[in-house]
């Protein structure tokens, strides 16, 4: 058995370990990112809040990638990735956020397990918000449109032309009978169990999805689109669409995109159906709510749209500048109280000390308008918030 460092990963932590074939490898990698963040209009007193966070540009994480050469241009692969909070050393989730195994050959790649969904794939590979980091971890309204971004129990088939000008993917995931029937049997007492059920479902739980994406890239241009249908445990179908593109020329990077989520709740004709809708709204609300995931409370709305446009400029070989604007619209609220619009602004400067270590400074601002229930969070009831983030990131 031999052990050697990869030329592309000179760190002593990123080494290849081979047993029989020299091209087979096991690679340990990671990102450690810690930042200071200050925001205003927090809590009931609408006070300022200063804190250290375990990821300003990227969430801290570590992973293991395995490749085994099977010959004939084919290989087996394994990906494991766990997330952590570098500010206090805690684990952000008690399970691997990515965990899949697969086979890759001349006709594409087939993978099985917990993976990024097709919406996340097409946006981050085709019209990411920043050229040096697909999104800002501390402020990412675009991720609220990705219906969780990761999906458990998924089969994914990815294909590409030889020159990779066209790349596409199809996904399907199994719900494993994760529904609301057990809770329904215990009503009305079981209504108190809904928050725990929602948490367990979002924490690596199962739901059914089906979708795909296709992207084209050549000569600095990239264009892509994707669709995914998610069936929530209460039976609600959520249709999600995205379309966008980017262009790189010299030091400039331009990108724009559009996303839509539409929840198709069943008409309430019984107490049971009303309960199912309540559970599904709670799950969808976790995708849509919060400053980092969509930016405002969903209430009883069933449709959200987001338009984004951004620009990046590499001022020097070390210094990258980027700015982004997002325009959100929420509708479908029966009372009108949760209908409205949101504006998100973010600008970031990133300085690279080396290929592995960089520091960054970002300013963001959110403002919303519309119905009386449209707020950033229920604790503060705020309709605007400004944030400042400064941090350092190292990759190994």
């Amino acid at each position: 058995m031999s052990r050697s460092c990869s030329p592309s990963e000179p760190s002593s932590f990123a080494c290849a370990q081979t047993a029989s074939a020299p091209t087979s490898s096991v690679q340990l990698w990671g990102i450690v990112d810690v930042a200071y963040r200050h925001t205003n209009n927090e809590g009931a007193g609408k006070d300022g809040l200063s804190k250290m966070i375990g990821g300003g540009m990227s969430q801290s994480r570590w992973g293991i990638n395995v490749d085994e050469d099977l010959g004939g241009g084919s290989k087996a692969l394994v990906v494991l990735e766990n997330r952590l909070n570098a500010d206090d050393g805690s684990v952000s989730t008690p399970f691997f956020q990515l965990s899949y195994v697969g086979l890759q050959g001349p006709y594409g790649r087939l993978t099985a397990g917990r993976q990024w969904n097709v919406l996340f794939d097409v946006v981050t590979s085709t019209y990411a918000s920043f050229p040096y980091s697909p999104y800002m971890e501390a402020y990412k309204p675009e991720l609220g449109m990705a219906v969780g971004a990761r999906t458990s129990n998924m089969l994914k088939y990815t294909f590409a032309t030889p020159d990779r000008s066209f790349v596409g993917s199809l996904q399907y995931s199994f719900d494993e009978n994760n529904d609301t029937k057990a809770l329904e049997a215990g009503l009305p007492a079981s209504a108190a169990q809904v928050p725990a059920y929602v948490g367990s479902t979002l924490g690596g739980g199962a739901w059914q999805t089906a979708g795909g994406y296709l992207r084209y890239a050549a000569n600095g241009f990239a264009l892509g689109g994707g669709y995914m249908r998610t069936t929530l445990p209460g039976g609600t179908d959520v249709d999600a669409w995205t379309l966008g593109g980017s262009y790189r020329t010299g030091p400039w990077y331009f990108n724009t995109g559009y996303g839509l989520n539409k929840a198709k709740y069943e008409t309430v004709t019984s107490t049971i159906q009303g309960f199912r809708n309540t559970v599904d709204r709670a799950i969808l609300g976790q995708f849509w709510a919060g400053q980092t995931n969509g930016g405002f409370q969903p209430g009883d709305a069933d449709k959200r749209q987001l338009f984004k446009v951004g620009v990046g400029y590499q001022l020097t070989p070390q210094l990258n500048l980027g700015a982004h604007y997002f325009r959100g619209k929420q509708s479908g609220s029966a009372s009108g109280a949760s209908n409205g619009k949101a504006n998100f602004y973010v600008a970031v400067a990133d300085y690279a000390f080396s290929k592995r270590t960089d520091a960054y400074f970002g300013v963001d601002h959110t403002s919303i308008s519309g119905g009386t229930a449209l707020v950033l969070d229920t604790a503060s009831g705020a309709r605007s918030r400004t944030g400042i983030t400064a941090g350092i990131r190292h990759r190994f």
Side-chain angles (χ1 to χ4, degrees), residues 177-201:
N177 293 332
N178 180 30
D179 54 35
T180 59
K181 291 179 180 178
L183 290 173
E184 294 166 15
L187 286 173
S190 60
Q193 301 172 23
V194 170
Y197 173 77
V198 170
S200 65
T201 297

Side-chain angles (χ1 to χ4, degrees), residues 146-300:
V147 197
R150 307 171 192 88
T151 306
S152 298
N153 314 303
M154 183 205 295
L155 287 174
K156 181 192 284 186
Y157 173 66
T158 304
F159 54 91
T161 55
D163 62 356
R164 296 193 63 80
S165 58
F166 283 97
V167 179
S169 188
L170 299 171
Q171 79 166 67
Y172 180 84
S173 66
F174 301 87
D175 63 12
E176 300 185 347
N177 293 332
N178 180 30
D179 54 35
T180 59
K181 291 179 180 178
L183 290 173
E184 294 166 15
L187 286 173
S190 60
Q193 301 172 23
V194 170
Y197 173 77
V198 170
S200 65
T201 297
L202 293 173
W207 55 71
Q208 182 179 300
T209 66
Y213 82 85
L214 184 66
R215 69 182 296 265
Y216 172 78
N219 302 317
F221 286 97
L223 179 67
Y227 165 78
M228 186 175 75
R229 167 165 285 190
T230 301
T231 302
L232 299 177
T236 303
D237 288 331
V238 180
D239 288 335
W241 298 83
T242 185
L243 177 68
S246 64
Y247 178 61
R248 297 172 184 263
T249 177
W252 290 97
Y253 172 71
F254 304 93
N255 68 94
T256 186
Y258 170 80
L260 180 149
N261 288 181
K262 171 65 175 175
K264 299 180 177 179
Y265 296 104
E266 295 290 337
T267 302
V268 177
T269 57
S270 65
T271 301
I272 294 296
Q273 186 58 57
F275 177 75
R276 291 171 180 169
N277 287 359
T278 297
V279 173
D280 287 350
R281 285 187 187 279
I283 294 172
L284 186 61
Q286 291 297 307
F287 298 148
W288 284 4
Q291 189 179 5
T292 59
N293 286 332
F296 51 97
Q297 298 296 307
D300 66 339

Side-chain angles (χ1 to χ4, degrees), residues 8 10 352-358 394-395:
S8 63
F353 295 103
S354 68
K355 291 182 178 181
R356 298 182 178 279
T357 304
D358 61 325
H394 178 79
R395 306 170 181 87

